[in-house]
């Protein structure tokens, strides 16, 4: 929708300029599409720790421009470099930050805990300090269902205990949530929403943007798609002896575009209310097993996924799905996409881009470091 229409219909967002950290990443880039379409000006930053890109910019954000027909301002910047981030706040009147930037590989976090604590915790501390010094107190934070640990009841509501986590990555999310609690109690100017995502999958329906991490990945959907493409020989199913209907692990898979609309809903709430700190689950409320997901994927893509059953993966939980009633009641947000659409859209992205984004000589019209490179 163009700005003129938004003004005419009186739905111009109150937060104009949104800083999106980790904007070149999987969820960040999809969210930028919805933010731009909702009339926000986006300033995105990323250090390319887990996204394709270079000094010329981000191919994902270039594609976002293609989808939306709007310019996206991008800075290659690292949250660990305070002066870089401070300069961006000096240049742009940031109204609110959506903080996606983090390292997220569970296995790597167990091998390199200091890297994860430094990047995720120090990155967040730097960001909060810079925000405060620039009088920006509005934030949406990417949290995770991983903060719940092994569920004591299902579906999981936001008041389920947190902190009983088996991996370092998950603990960084938990520690940050605790930090945000302390901050919002100590300083009432802060207005923060922490969104606990369940299992984001799928891609933008255009097939132009999707998931293309530069680090080794182990998540089910991208791995399954690699098998379907013939790039990996077999999908290992970790455990078929769980106390679930078919013995395989159960998760709440959510389409990445539903997740994106959840962020726009969170911004709307923050722009109209002072919430202090609020936490919301973003999930569909439906549990789907590994076997079920494989069957749907095979059906909608007309492919065959060879399976190999192995022992349970260390640290995996049995089953987890969300109670998303709070987000429905307070954010006025519900998911729209089916499991079939999650698989179809991911497959479209994979088949249109079997090697992911172009890796070299990225010609981008994205505004890089404040200057247009087109
Ligand atoms: P992603 O790795 O695709 O995106 C994160 C981006 O942040 C990457 O592009 C990376 O290069 C960037 N980044 C990391 N450290 C940075 C730093 N110090 N400075 C600047 N940029 C930095 O991951 P994603 O799947 O898009 O996840 C986005 C957020 O959502 C993360 O915080 C993640 O922990 C959280 N989350 C993800 C999932 C999931 O399954 N994908 C589930 C729950 C929560
Ligand atoms: C899903 C199901 C596996 C791969 C991870 C993070 C969590 C959160 C979401 C960020 C499980 C099974 C998987 C494979 C398989 N991320 N599986 N074979 O483990 O729910 O959560 O991503 O916050 O923190 O831990 O997601 O996609 O890895 O696994 O059988 O090759 O698929 O055992 O049951 P998970 P996943």
């Amino acid at each position: 929708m163009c700005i003129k229409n938004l003004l005419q219909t009186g739905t111009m967002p109150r937060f104009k300029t949104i800083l999106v950290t980790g904007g070149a990443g999987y969820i960040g880039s999809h969210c930028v599409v919805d933010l731009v379409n909702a009339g926000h000006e986006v300033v995105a930053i990323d250090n390319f720790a887990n996204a394709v890109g270079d000094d010329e910019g981000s191919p994902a954000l270039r594609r976002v421009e293609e989808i939306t027909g709007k310019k996206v301002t991008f800075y290659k910047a690292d949250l660990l470099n305070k002066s870089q981030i401070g300069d961006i706040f000096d240049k742009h009147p940031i109204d609110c930050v959506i903080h996606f930037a983090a390292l997220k590989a569970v296995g790597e976090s167990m091998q390199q805990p200091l890297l994860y604590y430094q990047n995720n915790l120090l990155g967040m501390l730097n960001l909060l300090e810079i925000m405060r010094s620039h009088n920006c107190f509005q934030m949406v934070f990417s949290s995770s269902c991983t903060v719940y640990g092994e569920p004591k009841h299902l579906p999981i509501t936001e008041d389920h205990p947190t902190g009983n986590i088996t991996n370092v990555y998950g603990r960084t999310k938990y520690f940050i949530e605790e930090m945000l609690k302390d901050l919002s109690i100590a300083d009432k100017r802060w207005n923060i929403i922490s969104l606990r995502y369940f299992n984001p999958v799928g891609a933008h329906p255009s097939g132009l943007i999707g998931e293309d991490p530069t680090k080794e990945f182990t998540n089910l959907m991208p791995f399954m798609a690699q098998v379907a493409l013939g790039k990996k020989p077999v999908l290992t199913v970790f455990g078929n002896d769980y106390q679930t209907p078919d013995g395989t692990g159960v998760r709440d898979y959510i389409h990445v575009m539903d997740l994106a609309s959840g962020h726009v809903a969170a911004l709307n709430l923050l722009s109209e209310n002072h919430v202090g700190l609020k936490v919301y689950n973003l999930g569909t409320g439906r549990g789907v097993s590994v076997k079920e997901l494989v069957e749907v994927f095979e059906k909608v893509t007309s492919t065959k996924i060879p399976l190999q059953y192995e022992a349970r993966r260390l640290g995996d939980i049995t089953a987890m799905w969300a109670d998303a009633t709070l987000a429905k009641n307070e954010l006025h947000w519900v998911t729209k996409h089916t499991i079939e659409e999650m698989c179809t859209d991911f497959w479209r992205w994979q088949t249109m881009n079997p090697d992911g984004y172009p890796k070299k000589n990225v010609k981008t019209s994205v505004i890089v470091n404040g200057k247009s490179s087109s």
Side-chain angles (χ1 to χ4, degrees):
M1 197 190 292
C2 73
I3 303 275
K4 201 171 138 214
N5 288 346
L6 286 166
L7 283 168
Q8 279 168 353
T9 54
T11 55
M12 184 71 190
R14 275 193 220 166
F15 288 162
K16 193 165 168 247
T17 309
I18 313 295
L19 177 73
V20 177
T21 73
Y26 171 44
I27 304 171
S29 55
H30 287 79
C31 193
V32 173
V33 172
D34 269 15
L35 291 173
V36 168
N37 283 338
H40 296 285
E41 297 231 336
V42 172
V43 176
I45 66 159
D46 206 292
N47 68 351
F48 299 125
N50 193 34
V52 178
D54 52 30
D55 290 337
E56 302 244 352
S58 150
L61 292 174
R62 171 74 192 86
R63 298 265 181 95
V64 168
E65 289 189 324
E66 235 178 290
I67 294 167
T68 61
K70 307 256 175 63
K71 289 269 181 204
V72 176
T73 303
F74 174 76
Y75 292 88
K76 183 179 172 199
D78 194 324
L79 287 170
L80 299 183
N81 186 334
K82 263 181 112 171
S83 70
Q84 251 182 6
I85 308 300
D87 287 350
I88 295 167
F89 273 84
D90 289 344
K91 258 190 213 152
H92 300 274
I94 309 288
D95 295 308
C96 183
V97 175
I98 305 186
H99 181 38
F100 292 105
L103 295 176
K104 62 162 187 176
V106 171
E108 186 184 56
S109 77
M110 298 304 280
Q111 287 151 4
Q112 300 192 63
L114 291 184
L115 174 71
Y116 273 68
Y117 287 129
Q118 186 184 53
N119 191 73
N120 294 1
L121 296 188
L122 195 55
M124 175 56 127
L125 278 171
N126 286 345
L127 182 60
L128 290 170
E129 282 179 348
I130 294 163
M131 286 175 68
R132 187 178 55 188
S133 66
H134 287 79
N135 279 313
C136 175
F137 293 97
Q138 330 275 345
M139 173 183 271
V140 179
F141 169 61
S142 295
S143 189
S144 168
C145 64
T146 196
V147 299
Y148 294 118
E150 186 72 47
K152 293 192 191 307
H153 59 79
L154 284 167
I156 286 204
T157 43
E158 287 82 352
D159 57 5
H160 183 285
T162 57
N164 186 21
I165 304 156
T166 53
N167 65 78
V168 172
Y169 159 73
R171 262 191 291 280
T172 67
K173 293 289 169 189
Y174 169 69
F175 290 155
I176 288 174
E177 281 203 356
E178 293 299 295
M179 199 158 88
L180 294 178
K181 263 189 220 167
D182 292 336
L183 185 62
S184 62
I185 291 167
D187 185 343
K188 302 291 178 212
R189 290 173 298 178
W190 287 97
N191 199 25
I192 302 172
I193 289 180
S194 180
L195 298 175
R196 292 180 181 154
Y197 313 155
F198 280 65
N199 287 60
V201 293
H204 190 268
S206 64
L208 288 173
I209 57 170
E211 188 171 11
D212 187 19
T214 53
K215 285 177 182 275
E216 203 58 38
F217 58 85
T218 53
N219 292 114
L220 179 59
M221 171 107 35
F223 203 94
M224 182 161 65
Q226 294 284 301
V227 177
L229 275 177
K231 293 195 165 198
K232 300 214 190 302
V234 69
L235 175 71
T236 304
V237 177
F238 299 125
N240 60 354
D241 57 350
Y242 283 111
Q243 293 289 309
T244 60
D246 64 20
T248 65
V250 169
R251 298 289 185 274
D252 186 339
Y253 297 97
I254 171 169
H255 196 294
V256 65
M257 291 315 297
D258 278 332
L259 209 54
S261 71
H263 290 74
V264 176
L267 281 187
N268 289 340
L269 185 75
L270 281 183
S271 69
E272 281 161 17
N273 298 274
H274 188 82
V275 301
L277 172 66
K278 284 287 295 194
V279 176
Y280 295 100
N281 285 340
L282 293 188
T284 64
R286 186 181 160 218
V288 172
S289 75
V290 174
K291 261 178 140 175
E292 264 182 273
L293 190 69
V294 170
E295 277 161 22
V296 173
F297 191 90
E298 286 184 327
K299 193 167 144 235
V300 302
T301 64
S302 304
T303 57
K304 185 81 202 133
I305 313 281
L307 302 181
Q308 184 176 308
Y309 290 94
E310 280 191 14
R312 297 176 180 193
R313 192 169 60 176
L314 201 67
D316 260 1
I317 54 159
T318 304
M320 168 93 88
W321 64 91
D323 182 329
T325 312
L326 199 63
K328 182 179 175 199
N329 291 344
E330 296 186 5
L331 297 180
H332 310 297
W333 169 88
V334 286
T335 58
K336 295 195 178 119
H337 296 282
T338 61
I339 288 285
E340 281 76 10
E341 286 166 328
M342 299 177 206
C343 294
T344 307
D345 290 342
F346 197 83
W347 187 235
R348 187 179 301 109
W349 150 255
Q350 282 284 266
T351 46
M352 282 171 65
N353 308 270
D355 299 316
Y357 292 112
K359 304 287 185 292
K360 280 202 170 82
N361 302 323
V362 180
K363 274 282 161 243
T364 173
S365 68
V366 172
I367 300 171
V368 183
N369 297 339
K371 294 181 196 117
S372 175
S373 60
S374 58

